Amino acid sequence: MKKKNIVTIVLVILAAASVAFSFYMKHKLEEQKENPQASIGDVSTRESSEQEILFEMRHETPLIKASESGYFYSFDDASKVTFYKFEKNELKKVTDSVKTVDISVPMSDDTINTTVYYIQSGEKLFGYGVFTDKTDSSVKVYSFILFNLVKLPNGDTVLLVNSDPSTAYSNQRVWDDMFEIDLESGKTERYFSNRNRGVDITGAHRRDFFVTTEDSVSSFGDELYFFSSRDYQTDESGKAPFDIFLKNGSGEEKVATGAIGYFVAKSEEDEGLIYIKQTASGFSVFHSFEEEIGGNNILSLPGDYNTAYARSGNYLLDKENGVVYSLLDGSKRELKDYSISAMTFSVSEDGNTVLLTGTVTNALEYGVYTYDFKNEKASLYIKDEFETLFNPTFITNDKFAYTYRDGENYKTVISKV
């Protein structure tokens, strides 16, 4: 059966999330009747009209943060990608520097044809290409694919692939395939071994055979760490354990087992790996040593990692109590007047400011919460239109953007912390 188009799928997912949060907030309100102190504290709550808005823009499809700082992109039903750049407190459409390359990529039993739109200037290279079943009805396995053009630290130019329609408009996604690309000809070649790769219930190659993040492909020089369930069968829910592999040259070597959270980093002190492991009572951030057997737990926390916590780069948020942990050293900082049931979490590049979106704990309202650790300043912006608030992101250390549904279209707002 032909899959639904991407817009329908995303809307269904958003609706389901809204229902789930309604039940969750009903439970929170009952808790608050028994605990009146679980309300907004001294946080500065302001209407959105009082918030320091630098720029607003309406558009037909959501804006998504690009991998290059200060850039955003969107795509339409014809798979055309449009770039925007943040300049002088405005988002301006980029036209003259955008290049294109037509690609033909073999995936599962299909051939995916589309155009990648990219910007190249000196060492800067980034771009995106989109396939949906609206643009090619002959493709039977996939309804959506996003291609992310990246230049690796070793000089290779590659396409990261995401084939999960539920993350089509998300800033937070993982990538489930990778191809090297020649920008002159558009010719692609698979970057990882595809040997013994099974298929899932949709007929597509298993997405968990190779999984990575933008941080993973850009942080380790000539080495590349990735996650894979290739050595396991999936359970009834379609899931399997993840191990961490290292690709160095033509080899792919398993270096850690039982990882969760798609997080891996290297210790600056001894080059040991830092990653997250499941435990009987929750999970731990584990530091493995290269020169000796074993390792140690940097941090151990209770609860379900996937539901009770949110990650932004090297930081982890406990969504229940507003504590922010460093995944690199286990240190923690508390958010002042934490009064939001967080759905998304972002930390500025300098680590001094936190940006959250979600519902306010004493009302079924959506809000944007910021906290400046340096000045110990918390702010919460609430507005009725925030019911479909998503994609919050920092543009600079003190400026951030978010998008929300505005009637039939969307609105992106840029504000100052």
Side-chain angles (χ1 to χ4, degrees), residues 104-120:
S104 181
V105 182
M107 292 185 59
S108 301
D109 291 328
D110 281 324
T111 299
I112 309 300
N113 298 297
T114 193
T115 299
V116 174
Y117 298 76
Y118 67 97
I119 295 175
Q120 185 173 26

Side-chain angles (χ1 to χ4, degrees), residues 47-249:
E47 292 296 326
S48 184
S49 59
E50 299 175 16
Q51 160 186 355
E52 187 174 353
I53 295 176
L54 303 176
F55 179 77
E56 292 180 299
M57 182 178 72
R58 285 187 172 87
H59 39 94
E60 294 183 356
T61 57
L63 293 192
I64 310 161
K65 183 181 180 182
S67 57
E68 181 68 22
S69 178
Y71 284 85
F72 292 78
Y73 70 96
S74 66
F75 60 89
D76 60 20
D77 287 343
S79 295
K80 180 182 178 181
V81 175
T82 302
F83 290 99
Y84 299 85
K85 185 179 181 181
F86 182 68
E87 289 182 323
K88 297 179 180 179
N89 289 338
E90 294 184 1
L91 281 177
K92 298 181 179 180
K93 186 180 293 187
V94 181
T95 55
D96 55 352
S97 59
V98 179
K99 302 177 181 180
T100 62
V101 57
D102 294 329
I103 61 171
S104 181
V105 182
M107 292 185 59
S108 301
D109 291 328
D110 281 324
T111 299
I112 309 300
N113 298 297
T114 193
T115 299
V116 174
Y117 298 76
Y118 67 97
I119 295 175
Q120 185 173 26
S121 176
E123 291 298 312
K124 177 172 63 180
L125 174 65
F126 65 99
Y128 301 90
V130 177
F131 163 84
T132 73
D133 52 8
K134 281 190 173 183
T135 58
D136 187 353
S137 59
S138 67
V139 175
K140 304 301 181 185
V141 175
Y142 299 99
S143 65
F144 165 82
I145 295 175
L146 175 68
F147 296 96
N148 180 3
L149 183 66
V150 176
K151 189 171 184 179
L152 300 182
N154 65 7
D156 292 341
T157 303
V158 299
L159 290 170
L160 295 176
V161 180
N162 174 278
S163 59
D164 181 2
S166 69
T167 62
Y169 301 125
S170 173
N171 285 334
Q172 306 295 327
R173 61 166 61 87
V174 297
W175 305 90
D176 51 66
D177 220 330
M178 186 166 163
F179 294 83
E180 191 167 5
I181 180 172
D182 182 336
L183 287 180
E184 295 295 325
S185 65
K187 182 180 178 180
T188 61
E189 182 177 346
R190 187 171 294 281
Y191 204 78
F192 288 88
S193 169
N194 214 35
R195 185 178 57 189
N196 299 326
R197 185 174 185 176
V199 297
D200 60 24
I201 59 174
T202 69
H205 281 149
R206 282 179 59 172
R207 290 182 182 143
D208 60 5
F209 194 82
F210 159 77
V211 180
T212 192
T213 65
E214 288 187 20
D215 288 342
S216 294
V217 299
S218 62
S219 301
F220 301 103
D222 290 342
E223 299 178 331
L224 195 155
Y225 290 91
F226 64 96
F227 301 86
S228 179
S229 295
R230 60 184 62 184
D231 291 339
Y232 308 96
Q233 296 294 325
T234 56
D235 59 21
E236 293 181 355
S237 65
K239 297 181 180 180
F242 273 103
D243 297 330
I244 300 176
F245 285 74
L246 168 64
K247 179 178 174 63
N248 196 349

